[in-house]
Amino acid sequence: TKSVVTYVSFCLKLADEEKLPIESYFSRHRHSVSSCDGDGAFNLISLFVLNPRITPPGVPELSVVTTICMRVHDNIRSTMILPNDCFQDGTLQALSLDIGSGKTMDEYYDAFIENIRDTTGTGFRKAPYAHCKKLVNECLLRMKAKKKVLVGTEERTIVRLFGLESEDTFHQQQIQLPQPAPAPDIETLWLVLNRPEHYFFHVSSDLHEKFGLECGEVVINQEFFERSLDCILDDEYRQERLPAMLNHAANWHMLEAREEEVASWLLWERQPMVSKPIGHPDTVDAMRNSIILQLVINKFFYGQTGDLLLYTVPLKGNWKEGVTNFLFYTKHMSMTGKLPPAYIVTASVAKGVGAASNIGNTSTENVDRNASTDLERTMRKLTIKKSSCAVCGVTRTPNGTRLLVCSRCESVAYCCAKHQKIHWKWHKQECTLE
């Protein structure tokens, strides 16, 4: 372990002297960024394969997998360097990371990503080096502003890996965010927030600490609703976290599949929260009347939708629970056209920065009626089924192309053949040639 990390440190020292692109020191590098959880935490996981010119002749290919867990609004939470022999000698299996044996490092990397996805319940997407460098640098600036420091040699070494330049066209790409635009209705945002990658996009840890309850243990009422809003908005750290989570989510949706529409909706909801400083009365008011915050608060409580159908899907851990959750709420929405019956919502889709002070003053009755009308129109066009993958909710394939549509009924879509196979068990009951 020490020898591989020593070589990595040597590469970084050379880079400081030579000022050459990262590919001069690492012949291959790959990066994946996760969606964030309700605490604002996300993972950046990378594979760095050392350039043979760095190592003595006859030495086998050396590589490391690095992980950085960061908070979207705060500091680096944890780091890890895993040399290639950790994957090849069974060390990770001893740590209950079931990723098999006899694989190439790229295969180990893919398996490691899948394992972390299953464990954390967050989605991963391939990311350019330039975007990862930006994420790390922004985190360092936040730490500097808050007078926090990097801890230990490992943390400093991993951070330095993201201080180089790339000559690879893909890795030079920066994420270009779309113009903010309002979502069609509340129900559309609700389904986005229930996609598998956003399974833990909620404030459950905050509300568990506040009420001493577990997620889904009680039905929400007006008192719980108001006290939950106060819990989030009385704390500037939590105020800062919400718009940062939305910004990260928008950037994440622009990776690989480039889901511009979803990203634009999230940015639209974020706008009123950042027009004034954190702690400003207008900012607090905008957040209190944010449909996003109200929905994620409701996610903590039982919505009186009946028992969650336990679909059998060939997946593991929290990711499997996230897929099951999304399938359930998609089905519930298609059958009822409404949010879970017990949920309390006083806000509407944001009106934009110019009308931030008026956000959420629409009555529940009007919101429900308007949203229902929009939803019925949408359902008639089958866009709920055809505009997103029936299993994971993405709006594009991993390559960024249009979704695959069921060739028999043309009423349901998928991002890949694997998800079509997973969904067939339920879809075959309603699939027709008509």
Side-chain angles (χ1 to χ4, degrees):
T1 298
K2 184 177 180 181
S3 62
V4 180
V5 176
T6 300
Y7 278 122
V8 171
S9 298
F10 176 64
C11 288
L12 293 171
K13 183 179 180 181
L14 273 181
D16 288 340
E17 298 170 354
E18 299 175 343
K19 308 298 183 184
L20 296 176
I22 186 174
E23 288 79 16
S24 300
Y25 313 103
F26 301 96
S27 56
R28 194 167 72 258
H29 54 105
R30 297 174 57 191
H31 314 278
S32 298
V33 174
S34 78
S35 51
C36 69
D37 64 18
D39 291 324
F42 71 96
N43 284 291
L44 164 56
I45 304 182
S46 302
L47 168 66
F48 295 94
V49 179
L50 274 71
N51 193 312
R53 83 178 182 94
I54 302 298
T55 58
V59 173
E61 182 180 81
L62 297 177
S63 59
V64 293
V65 170
T66 65
T67 70
I68 310 179
C69 181
M70 295 175 270
R71 290 185 177 92
V72 295
H73 64 309
D74 199 357
N75 61 326
I76 290 177
R77 189 166 159 179
S78 62
T79 58
M80 186 164 50
I81 297 181
L82 299 170
N84 53 297
D85 54 7
C86 285
F87 294 87
Q88 295 160 349
D89 65 9
T91 301
L92 295 183
Q93 283 79 351
L95 296 174
S96 301
L97 292 175
D98 183 17
I99 58 176
S101 59
K103 304 175 185 291
T104 65
M105 274 310 296
D106 284 286
E107 290 172 333
Y108 277 125
Y109 175 74
D110 291 335
F112 183 71
I113 293 286
E114 186 173 326
N115 186 279
I116 300 300
R117 180 202 70 179
D118 295 342
T119 302
T120 62
T122 55
F124 280 85
R125 286 188 175 176
K126 179 181 177 182
Y129 179 77
H131 179 63
C132 300
K133 178 179 178 178
K134 181 173 180 284
L135 290 174
V136 173
N137 287 340
E138 287 175 346
C139 185
L140 293 180
L141 289 174
R142 292 193 297 269
M143 292 175 67
K144 180 181 178 180
K146 297 180 180 182
K147 295 181 171 55
K148 296 185 178 182
V149 297
L150 294 171
V151 180
T153 303
E154 176 186 276
E155 198 166 278
R156 289 192 292 271
T157 299
I158 293 177
V159 165
R160 288 179 64 205
L161 284 167
F162 293 93
L164 307 177
E165 300 294 334
S166 175
E167 61 183 2
D168 182 277
T169 304
F170 169 75
H171 285 298
Q172 291 175 344
Q173 295 179 34
Q174 290 282 3
I175 300 301
Q176 299 296 322
L177 290 174
Q179 287 295 316
D185 46 53
I186 294 173
E187 287 78 5
T188 300
L189 287 173
W190 170 243
L191 290 181
V192 168
L193 292 175
N194 277 286
R195 283 173 46 163
E197 66 268 16
H198 298 316
Y199 183 48
F200 286 105
F201 193 103
H202 51 49
V203 290
S204 293
S205 59
D206 301 325
L207 299 187
H208 170 74
E209 180 181 333
K210 174 73 174 178
F211 301 120
L213 300 170
E214 297 300 328
C215 188
E217 187 175 337
V218 298
V219 176
I220 193 169
N221 57 30
Q222 194 65 37
E223 181 184 357
F224 275 131
F225 180 69
E226 295 295 340
R227 290 176 65 192
S228 297
L229 285 170
D230 291 341
C231 171
I232 305 302
L233 300 178
D234 288 346
D235 186 323
E236 289 194 2
Y237 183 83
R238 290 168 177 164
Q239 288 181 37
E240 186 181 10
R241 182 180 62 197
L242 181 58
M245 287 170 62
L246 290 174
N247 182 63
H248 180 81
N251 276 274
W252 188 86
H253 281 287
M254 291 301 292
L255 294 172
E256 281 195 275
R258 294 182 58 81
E259 297 180 275
E260 295 186 10
E261 194 172 42
V262 175
S264 71
W265 299 338
L266 298 174
L267 292 172
W268 181 268
E269 295 300 323
R270 179 179 180 269
Q271 282 186 126
M273 304 178 190
V274 295
S275 61
K276 297 287 177 64
I278 294 296
H280 191 283
D282 289 352
T283 301
V284 175
D285 185 60
M287 291 188 182
R288 182 174 294 276
N289 293 298
S290 163
I291 187 60
I292 295 289
L293 179 57
Q294 293 189 10
L295 288 174
V296 296
I297 284 174
N298 276 280
K299 285 178 75 173
F300 178 73
F301 296 93
Y302 178 51
Q304 291 187 320
T305 53
D307 293 332
L308 191 66
L309 299 178
L310 296 178
Y311 294 100
T312 302
V313 294
L315 301 168
K316 299 178 181 178
N318 286 319
W319 184 254
K320 176 179 180 177
E321 291 183 15
V323 171
T324 301
N325 181 75
F326 178 72
L327 288 170
F328 173 80
Y329 281 116
T330 302
K331 188 69 173 179
H332 178 268
M333 183 66 70
S334 68
M335 293 174 63
T336 68
K338 298 179 181 178
L339 299 177
Y343 282 4
I344 297 174
V345 170
T346 62
S348 63
V349 173
K351 302 298 189 296
V353 174
S357 61
N358 296 322
I359 296 171
N361 292 333
T362 308
S363 69
T364 304
E365 180 182 356
N366 288 337
V367 169
D368 287 345
R369 184 174 66 249
N370 294 337
S372 177
T373 301
D374 290 340
L375 188 68
E376 288 169 3
R377 185 184 303 114
T378 302
M379 289 178 68
R380 283 199 298 272
K381 296 179 180 179
L382 296 174
T383 54
I384 283 182
K385 291 185 177 181
K386 294 178 68 175
S387 65
S388 62
C389 175
V391 173
C392 68
V394 300
T395 56
R396 292 277 177 176
T397 69
N399 296 326
T401 58
R402 295 172 66 87
L403 296 173
L404 310 172
V405 177
C406 175
S407 59
R408 294 187 67 197
C409 65
E410 298 185 349
S411 66
V412 64
Y414 306 96
C415 66
C416 61
K418 179 180 178 181
H419 283 187
Q420 182 176 18
K421 184 177 180 181
I422 289 174
H423 195 245
W424 177 244
K425 178 177 179 180
W426 306 280
H427 179 54
K428 66 182 179 182
Q429 300 172 15
E430 57 185 23
C431 183
T432 67
L433 291 172
E434 298 179 5

